[in-house]
Amino acid sequence: MDSPYDLETYHYDLPPELIAQEPLADRTAARLLVVRRQTGTWSHHHVRDLPDLLAAGDCLVLNNTRVVPARLFGFRTATRGKWEGLFLSREADGTWHVIGHTRGWLRIGETVTIPAPEGGEILQLELLARLDDGVYRMRPTLTRLSPNGSATSHASAAATPVGEPLDESATWRILDRFGQVPLPPYIRKGHAQPQDHASYQTTYAERPGSVAAPTAGLHFTPELLAACEARGIETARVTLHVGLGTFRPVHTSDIRQHTMHAEWCEVPAETAERLRQVRDRGNRVVAVGTTSLRTLETAVVLAGWSAWQGESRLFVYPGYQFRAIDALLTNFHLPKSTLLMLVSAFAGIELTRQAYQAAIAARYRFYSYGDAMLIL
């Protein structure tokens, strides 16, 4: 029997042509593999069938985070060497956490320059400190250019005077202007197209802060949510800003040695109370995506069915005792990923393996723009 703690337990072979490179024109047309834990069986459906697959009184929990254009392309100011980076988060003092790649090493105090696509301004990031796991702490400065291309003044996107930290809203406006959609590398090698600005975003996204989409939510449209509501299926919102914690590869052969990065999340009071009522009357809490699951499980452990916000480092793998959720809607995940381990914890290792092989045999589309699985 495979060890639940052995990284190789979570390996599977996927034909490359099954990795979805584009979303479907109709989000709800995605295929849906419905896996039933009690019977160990599965059946084939479509996401549009969801109102018929759930019961009145069940509650879908949606992660309302918004993906920000976090991918940045520029050059080292001193050498003009190419630089590519990914914004991760903002500190209260206005500095940013960024990971970056360039030839050689950035020195403390060195800056990188990112030109605005339409010209007129440049964004400069000064390296202040190196943190763990290749993360940089950097200070952003926005510089306006004169007509001849020289720097004339410094200001944030909100005309913040020089030396004052950029507030949160200014950070999002800067990224909107200078950044690109942070597609994962398995989609067109990370090269975004204009349509990805809408496609790689849930239709109910509200709160900016993620560097990747909560992909199970990409299947929902306002019409599907309305159809669920008409059947008496409720919805509730949580927030988890997706960062490195969700996608960092596992490099340890014993998965228990893997350390998750912190991701900020929140369960509002209204959501906590609604879900408590759902549970009290015997209905199901259905997590839409692994991020919603991790948010709820973290919050229930720390605060019960009450409002909570903070950081989650929760790593769910087989042996975990679920307290908050009864069903999970999720996409198909990469081999040896923490997300596949989470699914295996909820559905069971062997049933998960069989379901994935069934999806491969039926030519399901995998990963972020791919099809989905509902585990009941």
Side-chain angles (χ1 to χ4, degrees):
M1 182 177 178
D2 294 327
S3 167
Y5 311 124
D6 185 350
L7 181 61
E8 291 302 318
T9 297
Y10 305 96
H11 175 75
Y12 68 92
D13 294 316
L14 180 71
E17 66 271 17
L18 296 187
I19 301 175
Q21 298 299 299
E22 304 290 343
L24 297 177
D26 176 4
R27 294 176 183 241
T28 68
R31 299 172 74 185
L32 181 65
L33 187 70
V34 178
V35 178
R36 295 173 175 84
R37 294 179 292 163
Q38 283 193 336
T39 60
T41 60
W42 55 85
S43 54
H44 301 283
H45 303 266
H46 291 86
V47 169
R48 60 175 173 261
D49 302 326
L50 195 60
D52 298 321
L53 295 167
L54 300 177
D58 290 344
C59 187
L60 293 161
V61 183
L62 311 172
N63 180 6
N64 65 0
T65 189
R66 175 173 286 276
V67 180
V68 297
R71 179 155 288 150
L72 301 166
F73 294 93
F75 55 87
R76 297 172 70 168
T77 308
T79 67
R80 310 289 290 189
K82 290 182 180 180
W83 179 87
E84 179 180 342
L86 184 71
F87 167 90
L88 298 176
S89 61
R90 174 190 173 275
E91 292 286 343
D93 64 1
T95 58
W96 292 1
H97 285 184
V98 177
I99 55 174
H101 174 74
T102 188
R103 191 171 185 175
W105 290 84
L106 289 181
R107 301 182 302 274
I108 301 297
E110 187 175 351
T111 65
V112 296
T113 297
I114 301 142
E118 70 277 18
E121 289 180 315
I122 58 172
L123 172 65
Q124 290 191 312
L125 302 177
E126 178 189 359
L127 177 57
L128 302 179
R130 292 188 180 91
L131 308 178
D132 294 336
D133 297 317
V135 177
Y136 295 156
R137 187 164 68 89
M138 307 187 85
R139 177 186 293 117
T141 303
L142 196 61
T143 303
R144 292 200 183 101
L145 300 177
S146 66
N148 63 11
S150 62
T152 58
S153 64
H154 293 69
S156 77
T160 303
V162 180
E164 291 188 15
L166 304 181
D167 64 19
E168 188 174 33
S169 61
T171 294
W172 308 140
R173 288 195 295 272
I174 286 174
L175 289 173
D176 282 341
R177 182 166 187 195
F178 288 87
Q180 297 186 21
V181 176
L183 287 182
Y186 50 75
I187 298 177
R188 297 181 237 116
K189 298 182 179 179
H191 297 304
Q193 298 173 353
Q195 59 268 30
D196 291 307
H197 286 274
S199 299
Y200 196 63
Q201 194 82 266
T202 66
T203 59
Y204 48 80
E206 294 177 350
R207 304 180 66 179
S210 278
V211 300
T215 55
L218 295 180
H219 301 294
F220 284 83
T221 62
E223 293 77 14
L224 178 60
L225 291 172
C228 288
E229 182 181 1
R231 294 292 184 91
I233 300 163
E234 301 181 13
T235 59
R237 264 60 168 182
V238 297
T239 304
L240 182 142
H241 293 320
V242 185
L244 289 182
T246 296
F247 297 103
R248 272 288 201 208
V250 179
H251 295 296
T252 58
S253 58
D254 184 335
I255 66 171
R256 293 172 294 183
Q257 304 304 312
H258 177 71
T259 300
M260 294 285 284
H261 287 71
E263 294 172 306
W264 186 89
C265 51
E266 179 179 27
V267 177
E270 177 185 0
T271 292
E273 176 59 22
R274 176 169 298 177
L275 298 182
R276 184 190 63 77
Q277 294 176 8
V278 169
R279 275 295 187 79
D280 285 350
R281 64 177 181 252
N283 287 109
R284 293 175 294 189
V285 173
V286 183
V288 176
T290 58
T291 58
S292 294
L293 182 153
R294 291 178 59 243
T295 301
L296 293 175
E297 292 291 332
T298 301
V300 165
V301 168
L302 297 177
W305 293 109
S306 302
W308 178 84
Q309 66 173 259
E311 291 186 334
S312 175
R313 295 180 180 270
L314 181 63
F315 179 18
V316 179
Y317 53 84
Y320 178 83
Q321 297 299 311
F322 291 88
R323 299 169 177 85
I325 70 126
D326 305 293
L328 171 65
L329 178 71
T330 185
N331 279 24
F332 294 93
H333 303 294
L334 276 70
K336 300 183 180 179
S337 64
T338 61
L339 304 178
L340 182 56
M341 294 165 196
L342 182 153
V343 171
S344 298
F346 190 64
I349 293 174
E350 186 56 33
L351 182 56
T352 299
R353 180 180 292 130
Q354 292 173 5
Y356 267 58
Q357 290 307 313
I360 292 170
R363 309 296 288 177
Y364 274 58
R365 301 163 67 251
F366 274 61
Y367 305 161
S368 295
Y369 276 155
D371 296 318
M373 178 165 60
L374 175 64
I375 308 171
L376 299 173

